[in-house]
Structure formats: C-alpha cells, structure tokens
C-alpha cells in the first residue's frame, strides 16, 4: 500500500501536468517536459520522497484550507447570532468567510482567468487579515476603521499591474506575505491593548491570541527568504517542497485563532456578568457583597503586614424627606452625588461601596483612626457642596459618618463595620452632619 499523496507508477498512460512560473497549466502527453522545467533525477527523487511524507497533495491541502476556513467562519457567525451585541464575532466571521472565498478561488489557478485566481483571490485573503485587525479593535470598544482592510488589497492590486512582478511567483509570495504579516502584527497589538472602557478587563486569553497572531506573522515572514532562495527552481508554484508545511500552518492558525476569538468573547461576557453581580447599578460603586469580600481581603493582608485598617460608614441625612419632597429621580441624583464625592475624595487604593439604600462604606487599607477621620471629613465636605442643589432643587443634603479602626485585633470585616455603624448611630442621634469614632477595638 502506498502512502497518501504519492504518485502511482502505473497510473494509466503517460500524462503529466506542469505549471510555468506564472502558475498557468502546461499539459504534455507522452513527451518530456519543456526545456528549463525538467527536474534532475536526484531532485525528482527528493520531491517524491517529500510528497510521500506529506498528508495530502496540493489540491487536497487547498480543499482542507477552504473547508477549515468556512467552518471557522460558520462557528464565528453562529456565535454572533447567539450574541448579536458582540460585533467582534461578526467582523471575525466575515473575515474568515472572505478568506474562504479567496482560498477557493486559488484552487482554480490555471483554470480560471488569472485576474480571478491570482489578483482577486490573493486580494481577498490579504483583506481578511485586515478585517481580523478591525475585529480586534471592535473587541476593545474602538472604531473598526473599515478602510484599513482595503489598504493591503489595494497595494496588492497595484503591484499586480507591474509586468515583472506579475510574471514571477516568488515576487507575489513575498509581497503578499509581508502585507499579511503586517496585518497580523497590527491585530496582535490591538489584542494586547486592554479595553480602555472596561477596568475589569483582565482576560488571560488576550495573551494567547497575541502569541498565535505573532507566531503566524513570523511563519508568514519566513516565506520571504524561502521564496528568494527558491527563485531558481523550475518546479510549479504549488509543487514546491515548502508548500505543504505552509498550508498546514495556515490550517492550524485558522482553527486556533477562531477558537480563541470565541473564547475571548465568552470570557468577556462572563467577566461582565461577574462585574454586574458585584456592582451597584445606580452609582457604579461596589455593592454590599463586593465590599465585604474586599474588606475581608484587606484585613487579612493588614494582619500579615501588621498594618492598620479603617472603615467609614456613611449615611445620608434626612434622605427620605428629599425623596418625599422632590421625588425619587432627585433622590437618585443625590445618591450619585455622594458616589462622586467619595470617589474624588478618598485615596487611590481605598474602596468605597453602597451597602444599603442611602448607606455607604469605605475601606481604608493602611489607615489609622486619625487618617480615617481626615478622609471622612473630606468626603462629607465635598458631598455637602455637591448636594446643596441637585437637579435644580435645593436639597441641602448632608451626611453623617462613623469611623472604626483595627490594629489587628478585629478578625472580621463584619465586626469592624458593626463598630463603625454604632459610631454612625451616635452621629445621627446628635442631629446628623457629624463624625463619630468607635471605641478602640
């Protein structure tokens, strides 16, 4: 039994097909190949041995590339159909579909007109990599800049109008490879950049995508020196020894990149859901669950490093009266005003969240009682300024605060918040707009 891809010595009459350097078909029946295209006995044996090791002949490899690319496109577009809000999948699926059509047109090299099987086919494949770059921008919440994927094909078509370029297969390989590699590196750069609009974006899959695109760019650029060294060889374009490994690498890249794009979008959705579960929708601050989780972590770290941790609990004064007098939209605006006051007044690294209707808490790692009182007073003064007039209504809302600090003797965030809450209750009992400190724990 012979290996798949080997040429049988008893395959009927002597009929062979060769290709010239431009890729057009030259058919001969029962005669030697034209001068300059004959392969020496040693090289013929080497190519035969190489083909025996290949998993398939060039037409079969092309068919695998086409089927793989269209399969990946279908997977991406189906994923987009399931999640229409994520246009990354739409752009990537469209790019794969265009690449599949271009690869299909390449199969007709020598049968269809060169303008279809060379100019249009390669132009579509080049454009597909530009579209992947656009998909990476969309993933990061940026404009896709649809004109950029057209630059590469335009350069390719301009080069194809040059007679010396068009007649030499190796020149076409070099130019096409360089353009594709540039698009791959641009896409890798986009995936490496985090989404500026999403502070929670910590997707590990980004690095895998960057690696796959970078490695593909290296593999594509490796074709350049190979093509230069191969210019003197008389073999037909797709019968060169390096064509098989190039096609196999393209198949592996197509599958891995498509899988990673789907995985990245899935991870993004999961991260957004986790963030939503830990975020107060009205203010964008952490909710009660997130604050308790972060507080427990801060206390554990402070205990290991023997540092203090302070907690401030805030409560808006006479908030029910504001809702009853001016309506809930104004009340919501007052709550948002406090969120702004807290975020702009606390230190970087401090955590603030909404733990009740009009109740908020701040966790201050490394802060003692004195530092916490200074920060609490700063938040209270800032909020009083912001809430003097809200939505055109003179609300004159104020806030009370209770402070509790731990030097390591309090072992739970719950007990520390309870202590701060008792101090807050005392501030409210004294008439509001006051700051009270809990007794040392």
């Amino acid at each position: 039994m012979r290996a798949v891809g080997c040429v049988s010595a008893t395959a009927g009459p002597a009929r062979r097909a060769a290709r010239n350097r431009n890729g057009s078909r030259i058919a001969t029946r029962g005669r030697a190949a034209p001068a300059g295209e004959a392969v020496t006995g040693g090289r013929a044996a080497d190519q035969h041995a190489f083909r025996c090791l290949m998993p398939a002949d060039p037409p079969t490899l092309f068919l695998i590339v086409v089927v793989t690319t269209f399969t990946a496109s279908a997977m991406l577009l189906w994923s987009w159909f399931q999640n229409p809000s994520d246009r990354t999948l739409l752009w990537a699926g469209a790019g794969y579909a265009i690449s599949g059509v271009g690869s299909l047109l390449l199969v007709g090299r020598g049968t269809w007109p060169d303008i279809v099987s060379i100019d249009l086919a390669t132009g579509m494949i080049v454009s597909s990599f530009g579209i992947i770059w656009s998909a990476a921008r969309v993933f990061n919440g940026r404009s896709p800049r649809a004109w950029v994927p057209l630059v590469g094909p335009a350069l390719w078509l301009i080069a194809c109008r040059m007679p010396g370029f068009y007649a030499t297969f190796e020149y076409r390989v070099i130019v096409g490879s360089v353009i594709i590699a540039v698009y791959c590196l641009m896409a890798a750069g986009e995936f490496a950049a985090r989404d500026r609009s999403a502070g929670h974006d910590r997707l590990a899959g980004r690095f895998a995508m960057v690696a796959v695109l970078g490695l593909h760019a290296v593999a594509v650029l490796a074709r350049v020196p190979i093509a230069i060294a191969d210019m003197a060889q008389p073999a037909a374009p797709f019968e060169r020894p390096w064509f098989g490994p190039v096609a196999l690498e393209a198949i592996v890249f197509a599958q891995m990149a498509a899988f990673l794009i789907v995985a990245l979008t899935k991870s993004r959705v999961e991260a957004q859901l986790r963030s939503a579960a830990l975020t107060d929708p009205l203010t964008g601050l952490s909710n009660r669950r997130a604050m308790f989780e972060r507080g427990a972590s801060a206390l554990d770290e402070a205990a290991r490093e023997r540092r203090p941790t302070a907690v401030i609990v805030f409560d808006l004064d006479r908030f029910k009266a504001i809702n009853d007098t001016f309506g809930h939209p104004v009340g919501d605006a007052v709550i948002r005003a406090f969120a702004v006051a807290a975020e702009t007044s606390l230190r970087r690294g401090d955590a603030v969240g909404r733990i009740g209707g009009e109740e908020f808490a701040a966790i201050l790692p490394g802060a003692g009682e004195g530092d916490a009182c200074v920060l609490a007073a700063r938040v209270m003064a800032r909020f009083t300024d912001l809430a003097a007039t809200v939505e055109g209504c003179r609300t004159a809302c104020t806030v009370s605060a209770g402070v509790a600090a731990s030097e390591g003797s309090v072992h739970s965030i719950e007990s520390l918040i309870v202590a701060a809450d008792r101090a807050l209750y005392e501030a409210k009992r004294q008439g509001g707009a006051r700051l009270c400190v809990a007794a040392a724990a």
Side-chain angles (χ1 to χ4, degrees):
M1 181 179 293
R2 59 186 177 88
V4 177
C6 296
V7 179
S8 172
T10 60
R15 180 180 180 87
R16 301 177 180 85
R19 293 180 183 270
N20 60 15
R21 297 179 67 78
N22 190 38
S24 58
R25 190 183 299 267
I26 300 175
T28 60
R29 181 186 297 272
R31 62 181 178 85
E37 294 189 5
V39 181
T40 63
R43 181 170 295 278
D46 291 344
Q47 291 182 351
H48 177 79
F50 181 85
R51 286 196 298 267
C52 288
L53 295 175
M54 286 301 300
D57 55 6
T60 304
L61 282 174
F62 256 127
L63 180 61
I64 295 173
V65 170
V66 171
V67 171
T68 297
T69 306
F70 278 125
T71 300
S73 174
M75 177 182 67
L76 289 163
L77 292 175
W78 175 254
S79 298
W80 170 73
F81 180 77
Q82 298 295 315
N83 183 20
S85 62
D86 196 334
R87 293 186 302 122
T88 302
L89 296 167
L90 175 61
W91 278 89
Y96 269 81
I98 291 173
S99 179
V101 173
S103 300
L104 186 62
L105 295 179
L106 279 177
V107 177
R109 182 75 59 84
T111 301
W112 296 337
D114 287 347
I115 195 171
V116 173
S117 61
I118 296 178
D119 303 38
L120 180 60
T122 306
M124 294 181 73
I125 293 174
V126 166
S127 176
S128 70
F129 284 90
I131 295 174
I132 296 300
W133 172 81
S134 294
R137 286 185 61 84
V138 171
F139 184 76
N140 281 342
R142 301 172 185 170
S143 168
R145 294 184 181 177
W147 59 271
V148 174
L150 301 177
V151 174
L155 294 175
W156 165 258
L157 292 176
I158 291 172
C160 285
R161 304 283 70 80
M162 302 176 183
F165 170 85
Y166 203 70
T168 306
F169 172 71
E170 289 79 10
Y171 289 165
R172 300 199 303 269
V173 170
I174 292 170
V175 172
S177 298
V178 169
I179 297 174
I180 289 173
V182 169
Y183 274 140
C184 284
L185 293 175
M186 290 171 59
E190 285 294 333
F191 277 113
R194 299 186 190 279
D195 187 349
R196 295 188 178 97
S197 66
H200 61 269
D201 189 351
R202 299 292 186 272
L203 305 178
R206 282 184 179 274
F207 302 106
M209 191 68 196
V210 170
V212 168
L213 286 167
L215 289 174
H216 186 60
V218 171
V220 170
L221 286 175
R223 303 175 192 175
V224 174
I226 293 174
I228 294 173
D230 209 34
M231 291 183 71
Q233 303 303 328
F238 300 120
E239 294 177 0
R240 307 294 173 92
W242 48 264
F243 172 74
V246 165
L248 289 175
E249 188 274 334
I251 293 169
V252 172
F253 166 75
Q255 289 298 305
M256 291 187 66
F259 171 80
L260 286 173
I261 290 173
V262 173
L264 273 172
T265 55
K266 181 175 180 290
S267 297
R268 167 70 62 80
V269 171
E270 292 174 350
Q272 290 172 342
L273 292 175
R274 285 195 299 270
S275 177
L278 299 173
T279 302
D280 173 58
L282 178 59
T283 63
L285 299 177
S286 299
N287 60 16
R288 185 181 183 90
R289 173 185 171 186
M291 287 300 295
F292 274 84
E293 289 180 359
R294 183 160 184 179
S297 175
L299 277 179
D300 290 342
E301 184 177 350
R304 288 194 301 269
E305 299 179 1
R306 299 183 179 278
R307 294 187 302 133
T309 300
V311 169
I312 311 171
V313 177
F314 299 93
D315 190 86
L316 306 188
D317 298 324
R318 295 176 292 279
F319 181 74
K320 184 177 184 303
I322 292 174
N323 267 339
D324 293 342
T325 304
F326 302 108
H328 288 282
V330 173
D332 290 346
V334 169
I335 288 177
R336 287 192 293 267
F338 180 84
V340 172
E343 288 186 308
T344 56
S345 301
L346 295 175
R347 308 166 304 173
R348 178 176 296 184
D350 294 338
V352 61
R354 186 182 178 197
I355 60 174
E358 66 270 18
E359 191 172 9
F360 299 81
I363 299 172
L364 315 176
E369 182 180 293
D371 293 333
C373 289
V374 171
L375 291 169
R378 186 188 302 171
V379 173
M380 294 169 69
R382 176 66 172 151
F383 173 69
T384 300
D385 291 340
L386 292 177
T389 301
V390 177
E391 301 286 326
C393 301
R394 189 168 181 79
T395 58
C397 188
T398 58
V399 62
S400 298
V403 172
S406 169
E407 299 296 336
S409 57
V410 177
H411 301 290
S412 71
I413 187 64
E414 292 84 357
S415 58
L416 197 58
I417 288 180
V418 167
D421 209 37
R422 290 198 189 101
L424 171 65
Y425 178 79
E426 179 62 23
K428 300 287 280 188
R429 191 184 67 80
Q430 294 178 18
R434 284 174 170 77
L435 168 64
C436 290
V437 180

